[in-house]
Amino acid sequence: MVGTCFGTQAINAQVPLVSPLRDNDLQAQLPSSGQQLQLRNVQVNADGFVLQINGSPQMRTSRVANPDRIILDLQATEVSPYIHNSVVPINRYGVRQIRVAQFQKYPAITRLVFDLDSTSPVNWQSSYDQTRGLLLLRPVGLSVTEKNTSSLPVTSSSGSNNSLPTTINGLSFNGYGQLVIDASRAITYRSSLDLANNTYSLTIPATRISSQLRRPVLGANSPIEQIRLTQVGDAVVVSVKMISGWQISESVRTNPQAIALQLTSVGQVNAGIPPNTRSQVQPNYGNVTSGRQLVVIDPGHGGPDVGATRNGVYEKDIVLAMSKQLGRILQQMGYSVMYTRTEDIDLDLEPRVQMAENARASAFVSVHVNSLDASSSQVNGVETYHAPSASLGKNLAELVHQQIIASTGANDRGVRSARFYVITKTSMPAILVETGFITNPSEASRLVDSNYQGRMAVAIAQGIDQFLKSYRR
Ligand code: ZN
């Protein structure tokens, strides 16, 4: 047990509105050598905030105004993929909700943002329970306030001791190609699929729709056509209509207050199944259940990470458009396709790899656009990368590269090896294609052209097809 008071200075209304991050002298208790700390869950209970973590991390805190929030950075800590980019509803101790994300990858920093309800100063005491692997943040000096708020909605994993209904608080994309439904307490649900309308419905009993429901913004190219929430008596019905070629499958539940739905591009996998004969959506494991080989397509960057950019054009947008064309072509060729992202969202490298690993993909292709500084604007062309000493990856890279050069006429900058994370950490044959230089004016104008993107996509697909046909057993 380590008992240390932190935040007395930093987490206080008296401090400047934006205070610099500062160390709090907590000694990090690292787990067995070489292992990194991992934050696995964030909950609230009668004692305070409970962080499930395999060691006591160094913490830095700061308080920021407009809106009023406290930022808590856990040093040398990874966040579990299951709670990355998640929002934990709290409504207690002056905290409305906690947002959890991997703030930085190298070195790893997990960031918790406590969105505050009130301007009252919040001080916490932290203690680490080594036996149970729990870090407790206990509010101090709040006994009066806490009594007064005890009749307000209280969220806790065991909180069945009040009569307020459970609310559906929001839907959001979590950066794993999943649509996540968040509730204020543990929920159960039934699901059904209307194949004729490609609409997946969830019925969540004993809930109501929050008046402050959060909804995702659906991009123009979103695989989701419409999301509808309806109060049907005592239950909330969530209906998600997908565009054709896409399917929803349920992910393993790790959080009783949330339901994660995986969006998957499935080609013609449902062909031949008469409508309405399946009441339950079957999880799609790509090549496993459909007998089709699965290709994971990874459009680089996304969200605030725009990638290479010039003249207001972003790599993230070019590669997403190109990737979707690539996916459609691969589907027409008979492959199952999974994208690491289908929206303009922030996504770490690790979950991109994890998706491909979990799905046991047959091949992985990451799509990027290159750049150099202005003095090198004459440089143009395509580079295709594989991981060092990955012979299958090299083979895949060569086949794809040949196709690209032959069909686009782009300058041949060669097949290369490099230690890019997404191709070195994937266990299946994996390549990264730099499809051209955004810093070269004439190549940039081709890269934003959907016809050229289509030619690039066809070429990549043909290379992948050649490769997978030659290795199919
Ligand atoms: Zn890139």
Side-chain angles (χ1 to χ4, degrees):
M1 279 276 229
V2 179
T4 313
C5 189
F6 77 95
T8 320
Q9 294 165 323
I11 307 172
N12 187 302
Q14 274 23 269
V15 297
L17 292 181
V18 179
S19 57
L21 296 177
R22 65 181 82 198
D23 270 312
N24 63 359
D25 299 323
L26 275 182
Q27 188 59 48
Q29 281 185 347
L30 293 170
S32 56
S33 60
Q35 203 186 340
Q36 194 163 36
L37 295 179
Q38 193 190 41
L39 177 67
R40 300 204 180 85
N41 204 0
V42 176
Q43 287 173 304
V44 63
N45 67 17
D47 295 324
F49 309 107
V50 184
L51 279 55
Q52 192 189 335
I53 184 170
N54 56 332
S56 178
Q58 268 193 357
M59 293 181 270
R60 293 175 184 221
T61 59
S62 61
R63 183 159 181 165
V64 185
N66 294 322
D68 213 12
R69 59 201 191 276
I70 291 168
I71 295 172
L72 170 60
D73 283 342
L74 310 178
Q75 309 293 313
T77 304
E78 280 183 352
V79 67
S80 154
Y82 295 115
I83 59 168
H84 173 58
N85 277 342
S86 67
V87 177
V88 184
I90 302 293
N91 296 320
R92 203 171 186 185
Y93 308 126
V95 174
R96 187 164 50 84
Q97 61 181 20
I98 302 175
R99 288 176 282 146
V100 186
Q102 190 78 57
F103 175 65
Q104 185 179 297
K105 189 77 191 164
Y106 303 109
I109 297 175
T110 289
R111 172 161 288 187
L112 304 183
V113 178
F114 294 72
D115 290 314
L116 303 180
D117 263 338
S118 61
T119 52
S120 62
V122 181
N123 291 311
W124 300 317
Q125 217 171 39
S126 75
S127 60
Y128 185 67
D129 179 343
Q130 192 138 31
T131 330
R132 297 198 295 162
L134 298 177
L135 179 68
L136 178 66
L137 306 177
R138 190 193 303 267
V140 293
L142 276 182
S143 53
V144 175
T145 317
E146 178 61 10
K147 273 196 192 97
N148 289 345
T149 58
S150 61
S151 61
L152 291 175
V154 168
T155 302
S156 89
S157 53
S158 59
S160 55
N161 57 344
N162 72 71
S163 58
L164 286 169
T166 302
T167 52
I168 303 301
N169 290 341
L171 288 85
S172 57
F173 294 105
N174 71 351
Y176 289 81
Q178 294 175 338
L179 178 68
V180 178
I181 300 167
D182 286 304
S184 61
R185 278 191 231 108
I187 46 175
T188 58
Y189 68 97
R190 281 180 291 114
S191 63
S192 62
L193 177 66
D194 173 0
L195 271 175
N197 294 306
N198 203 21
T199 299
Y200 173 90
S201 294
L202 283 172
T203 303
I204 310 170
T207 53
R208 63 175 175 77
I209 302 168
S210 165
S211 57
Q212 282 148 27
L213 181 79
R214 288 173 290 103
R215 300 180 66 117
V217 177
L218 300 176
N221 292 321
S222 176
I224 295 179
E225 195 174 306
Q226 188 183 46
I227 300 174
R228 189 185 300 167
L229 280 83
T230 324
Q231 187 78 47
V232 181
D234 199 25
V236 171
V237 177
V238 181
S239 297
V240 184
K241 182 168 169 53
M242 306 292 287
I243 63 170
S244 74
W246 285 79
Q247 178 183 291
I248 278 186
S249 55
E250 293 155 33
S251 302
V252 176
R253 292 190 75 186
T254 54
N255 176 355
Q257 290 181 210
I259 301 165
L261 304 170
Q262 183 75 48
L263 313 183
T264 318
S265 172
V266 287
Q268 303 304 307
V269 72
N270 289 329
I273 303 174
N276 300 321
T277 55
R278 297 195 316 166
S279 61
Q280 292 284 315
V281 174
Q282 300 301 317
N284 173 57
Y285 297 112
N287 53 341
V288 179
T289 54
S290 66
R292 290 160 188 274
Q293 287 179 296
L294 173 71
V295 179
V296 169
I297 301 173
D298 174 41
H301 312 277
D305 170 15
V306 300
T309 175
R310 190 58 46 104
N311 301 323
V313 177
Y314 298 144
E315 174 183 1
K316 65 174 184 176
D317 298 323
I318 296 172
V319 298
L320 184 56
M322 212 179 261
S323 293
K324 285 179 174 170
Q325 294 214 46
L326 171 60
R328 279 193 288 274
I329 295 156
L330 284 168
Q331 283 174 33
Q332 285 160 13
M333 290 174 162
Y335 295 98
S336 287
V337 169
M338 188 181 276
Y339 300 86
T340 56
R341 69 178 179 96
T342 56
E343 307 286 333
D344 182 19
I345 51 163
D346 197 8
L347 181 56
D348 262 325
L349 299 178
E350 188 202 0
R352 297 175 197 251
V353 169
Q354 212 50 56
M355 270 185 71
E357 293 298 319
N358 292 346
R360 299 171 197 278
S362 301
F364 178 96
V365 55
S366 190
V367 182
H368 285 255
V369 165
N370 228 329
S371 67
L372 280 170
D373 58 42
S375 63
S376 314
S377 65
Q378 75 284 1
V379 174
N380 67 90
V382 175
E383 299 166 355
T384 305
Y385 287 88
H386 58 86
S389 69
S391 60
L392 288 179
K394 185 176 184 211
N395 199 310
L396 173 60
E398 282 166 348
L399 290 168
V400 167
H401 192 77
Q402 282 165 15
Q403 289 289 341
I404 293 174
I405 300 304
S407 84
T408 66
N411 181 34
D412 185 352
R413 289 178 55 87
V415 170
R416 303 172 177 216
S417 83
R419 300 197 162 277
F420 294 127
Y421 186 91
V422 292
I423 54 174
T424 51
K425 298 292 184 183
T426 33
S427 60
M428 71 287 311
I431 58 171
L432 185 149
V433 185
E434 291 283 4
T435 54
F437 283 79
I438 202 170
T439 41
N440 176 272
S442 71
E443 193 155 56
S445 68
R446 285 197 298 275
L447 285 168
V448 298
D449 173 50
S450 68
N451 288 325
Y452 187 79
Q453 291 171 357
R455 248 194 295 163
M456 184 69 69
V458 168
I460 296 172
Q462 284 171 338
I464 292 171
D465 185 47
Q466 276 185 325
F467 174 82
L468 290 176
K469 283 210 169 90
S470 60
Y471 285 94
R472 191 173 291 198
R473 283 156 208 199

